[in-house]
Every structure is written in structure tokens, then in C-alpha cells.
Amino acid sequence: MNIKPLKIGDVTIDIPIIQGGMGVGISLHRLASAVSNEGALGVLSAAGIGFLHPMWEKNPRKANIIALEEEIDKVRANTEKPFGVNIMVALSDFENLLITAVKKGVDVAIMGAGLPLQVISALRKAGIKEWKTKFLPIVSSGKAARIIFSYWDKHYSIIPDGVVVEGPKAGGHLGFKREELENPPDVFDIVRDVKRVLARWEDKYAKHIPIIVAGGIWDGKDIYKAINGVGADGVQMATRFVATYECDADERFKQAYIQAKPEDIVFIKSPVGLPGRAVKNKFLEEVEAGVRKPFTCRWKCLRTCDYRKAPYCIAEALTNAAKGNLENGFAFAGANAWKVDKIVSVKELMDTLLQEYQMAISEMNI
Ligand SMILES: Cc1cc2nc3c(=O)[nH]c(=O)nc-3n(C[C@H](O)[C@H](O)[C@H](O)COP(=O)(O)O)c2cc1C
């Protein structure tokens, strides 16, 4: 194989592709283990995962922890390869989910939708002194990388094990202001900026900090550009993995991608407090028109959501969507989701990406 493995500390991922975590309920054990079995890194999404457990109605926080533990066990039962968990910093039980993942010995924890500053202090408070889990924050600017790395260096005398640089073409919540998305930066320019920022800590800690590029990586040629053109260590891809048989979402969620035209991929204002990208549907049109979807907030799952003002419950809308109830929810999607025209197996997708990558290498060597 003509592609360099992705090394995050002592974790080696044979194919340098991370399957982006997708909440709620889109990347669970089926997708994550299928991806890891193909040599890339499968990733569970911890967001709202408790809906899988019967305790969900009564005690959502506890249900989240038990469901995460059970999903981790199921991935482990299906693959011996490394895998990861994606935990949103904006979740009100971020720390507890992180501690659960670390205690279960998950290989990689990927943390976005906020700056993961309190990671090591949370572990220490929980009495955890050693861990095998590698930590990857998601950033969308050199500035965010600087804040996180400075904080960790100053307060913990260690630094994160790598970083995912997510650009404006990603799906789900975006780390950009709505105005910035009108004239979006190129993700590869952000990577260059992050590289400049991280050079200081690479020197200080005398080690390479792997950078993984996310957002709009579509084919093997894009992977080639990210790795061989910009010098990234790997890519994170999500939208392509939705259109696989193994993806844990309902068939109707996948069909929303297949049916979508370019103009159907829209920005939304999320109750998380960040813009998001999704496939337009009647639910979103009604929200946009000011229709408030009635709900009672049972447990304030997001630190950043003001449920008295939010026009709908995002946790509920995303859980409905994952189950195929798109009348009462919507599908998050990357900018390229309209390009999806069929569902394939994870193996077929991975084979295609690697073939395209090889072709890109051959073309460059002509
Ligand atoms: C349906 C969907 C749900 C997502 N949910 C999350 C999430 O819960 N947490 C997160 O950090 N990123 C989330 N993302 C972002 C992806 O992990 C990934 O970084 C991004 O979509 C990559 O861009 P691509 O979709 O163009 O490949 C989501 C993306 C999609 C498409």
C-alpha cells in the first residue's frame, strides 16, 4: 500500500482516514467497527447516545453513560483494530462521557463544538492518573489551536496528541461565524495556519503533532492533496460514510442525501449556538419561518442551549432524523452531500478511495 499510516502517539491507523463522529445516532457501533475493520479509524458519536437505552426517559444522563459503555463493548466485539469516540464539548455531560471513554480504554477521543480545555483536570478529579486514550481537539482556526495548546501546556505540562482541522465544508455544527461562511476560508489555508501555530509546541515537546484535515474531503484525489500537497497526516471524512449500508442511520436519512440537489444543502442556526449545515426539508423551512416546535427540556443536554428561546429541541430533532422521522427532524450533512448518488458498503467506499489515491499518485509522477 502506497499510503502512509496515521500515527497518533502509539496508536497506528493503517489507512490515514478517520470516520468523523456523527450524532445523534448516525455513527454507532455498526459503522465504527466496519470502518476500523477496513484499517481506517471508526468513531462512535457520544452525542445523545442514551436514546439507545431503556433508561433514557427516566434518567438521560445515566442512559448516556451506559449506552456509551455498551456501544464501546460492541465495537470491541466486532474489531480488534483501534477506534475512537467523538464527544462534543458543548454537551453538559462532556466530562462524564470523556471519563467513561477513557476508563473503557478507547484509543482516541475526538472533541469538538467548543474548546476542550478541562480535559486533564476532569480526569485528575476523577482519580485517573494514567490513560491510553489519545486526545484530538477539533479546531477551525490557528487561534483556537493556540488557545488549546497554550492552556494544556501551561496547566497540565502536556499537549494534545494531535488536532483535527475542520473547515467550512463540514457537516453538522461548524466552528465559524455565520458571516465568515459567506466568504469561507479554504481548509488547506487553515491547516497551514495551524501548522505555523503548532511549530512552537513541536519544538518544545520534541515531537510531531499530527494534523488531520476535515470538511469537504470527497475522493482519493482530495486525500492526496491533503496529505501530499499540504502535508497533513490524515483526513477525517463523514458525509461519504453516511451513504454506506453499515451507517447506523435509518435508510430514510441516507435517502435524504441521495435525493438532495446542491441548493438543498443549507446553513441553519442551531440551538447549540453555532451555525450548522443540513439538508433542507419542511421541518427546517418551518423553523426558518418562525414556527416554534413545542417541547419541554428535560435535562438541558447542552451547556449552550437556552431552551426558553430555542425554536426546537435539537437533540430530539436529530434523534428523530436518525430514526428516519424527518417530518420531525432534519439531516445534518456536509457541503458535498448532494454528490451522493448511491449507497455502498464501507469496504467498497474504502477500496474506491484508495484506488483514486493511487491514481492521483500515478498522475503526479507522469
Ligand atoms: C450527519 C453528521 C453529523 C455530525 N455530527 C457530529 C458530531 O456529533 N460531532 C462532531 O464533532 N462532528 C460532527 N459532524 C462533523 C463530522 O464529524 C466531520 O468532521 C465533517 O462532517 C467532515 O466533513 P465531510 O462531511 O465533508 O466529510 C457531523 C457530520 C455529519 C455529516
Side-chain angles (χ1 to χ4, degrees):
M1 184 65 61
N2 228 341
I3 193 162
K4 236 172 84 187
L6 167 61
K7 284 191 186 283
I8 306 171
D10 59 5
V11 175
T12 300
I13 300 147
D14 297 334
I15 313 283
I17 299 177
I18 296 181
Q19 164 253 306
M22 291 179 278
V24 173
I26 312 299
S27 67
L28 297 173
H29 74 271
R30 236 161 65 87
L31 180 60
S33 49
V35 173
S36 285
N37 276 330
E38 288 306 316
L41 189 79
V43 176
L44 291 170
S45 163
I49 197 167
F51 83 92
L52 295 171
H53 197 272
M55 199 184 279
W56 180 235
E57 289 299 325
K58 261 197 176 154
N59 189 341
R61 279 180 204 281
K62 201 160 178 193
N64 273 339
I65 301 297
I66 302 175
L68 179 58
E69 288 173 342
E70 288 180 354
E71 284 296 294
I72 291 170
D73 289 343
K74 285 181 186 168
V75 178
R76 204 159 267 143
N78 285 312
T79 184
E80 286 172 0
K81 301 275 182 69
F83 67 97
V85 171
N86 176 296
I87 312 171
M88 285 170 57
V89 182
L91 294 173
S92 58
D93 53 0
F94 167 72
E95 275 96 357
N96 286 339
L97 292 165
L98 183 78
I99 289 165
T100 304
V102 169
K103 279 189 178 163
K104 292 290 278 179
V106 163
D107 301 282
V108 182
I110 302 175
M111 305 159 295
L115 301 177
L117 301 180
Q118 307 306 331
V119 171
I120 305 300
S121 49
L123 298 186
R124 288 184 183 154
K125 245 189 250 162
I128 301 172
K129 296 200 179 74
E130 284 177 14
W131 52 85
K132 64 170 268 206
T133 307
K134 304 291 172 287
F135 298 114
L136 298 186
I138 303 178
V139 299
S140 293
S141 65
K143 186 178 163 202
R146 183 178 298 113
I147 295 172
I148 297 167
F149 277 73
S150 299
Y151 190 95
W152 282 50
D153 179 25
K154 185 166 166 216
H155 294 270
Y156 310 136
S157 301
I158 54 170
I159 50 171
D161 301 282
V163 67
V164 175
V165 176
E166 195 183 74
K169 290 188 178 169
H173 291 109
L174 305 170
F176 298 90
K177 296 201 182 84
R178 187 65 187 81
E179 312 83 77
E180 290 174 308
L181 294 168
E182 294 305 327
N183 196 2
D186 186 298
V187 67
F188 291 157
D189 288 336
I190 308 174
V191 170
R192 291 183 190 100
D193 189 22
V194 171
K195 266 182 172 238
R196 273 191 295 273
V197 166
L198 294 187
R200 184 174 134 199
W201 286 286
E202 289 198 315
D203 277 353
K204 180 168 175 187
Y205 286 83
K207 65 175 182 188
H208 174 62
I209 303 169
I211 295 184
I212 294 103
V213 190
I217 305 292
W218 177 256
D219 56 20
K221 204 167 182 174
D222 292 338
I223 301 174
Y224 177 86
K225 283 186 213 155
I227 294 176
N228 303 67
V230 202
D233 299 84
V235 297
Q236 173 168 292
M237 302 173 66
T239 295
R240 295 282 324 248
F241 286 104
V242 169
T244 59
Y245 299 118
E246 292 92 336
C247 169
D248 295 84
D250 185 272
E251 171 71 21
R252 285 165 285 186
F253 189 104
K254 303 174 191 178
Q255 284 300 327
Y257 279 30
I258 293 177
Q259 304 302 326
K261 297 188 275 304
E263 59 272 26
D264 296 328
I265 312 299
V266 294
F267 292 124
I268 63 154
K269 211 174 129 204
S270 157
V272 168
L274 296 167
R277 184 181 273 109
V279 183
K280 187 166 80 177
N281 69 359
K282 190 156 170 275
F283 179 92
L284 287 175
E285 278 170 354
E286 284 177 2
V287 169
E288 181 74 22
V291 176
R292 195 172 191 279
K293 307 282 178 181
F295 71 93
T296 39
C297 176
R298 287 190 301 123
W299 65 292
K300 194 155 171 27
C301 63
L302 291 161
R303 294 177 218 266
T304 42
C305 174
D306 182 351
Y307 61 91
R308 286 157 307 194
K309 290 193 191 141
Y312 62 94
C313 170
I314 184 141
E316 205 170 276
L318 294 180
T319 312
N320 286 338
K323 292 177 180 168
N325 175 1
L326 287 156
E327 291 72 45
N328 295 301
F330 62 90
F332 267 147
N336 287 328
W338 61 273
K339 292 187 188 171
V340 169
D341 59 4
K342 61 173 187 289
I343 298 174
V344 295
S345 68
V346 166
K347 183 174 175 12
E348 280 174 273
L349 174 58
M350 293 292 299
D351 287 349
T352 308
L353 293 173
L354 289 175
Q355 268 166 24
E356 290 165 348
Y357 182 84
Q358 295 302 334
M359 260 160 58
I361 291 183
S362 318
E363 277 167 25
M364 293 315 290
N365 290 340
I366 285 171

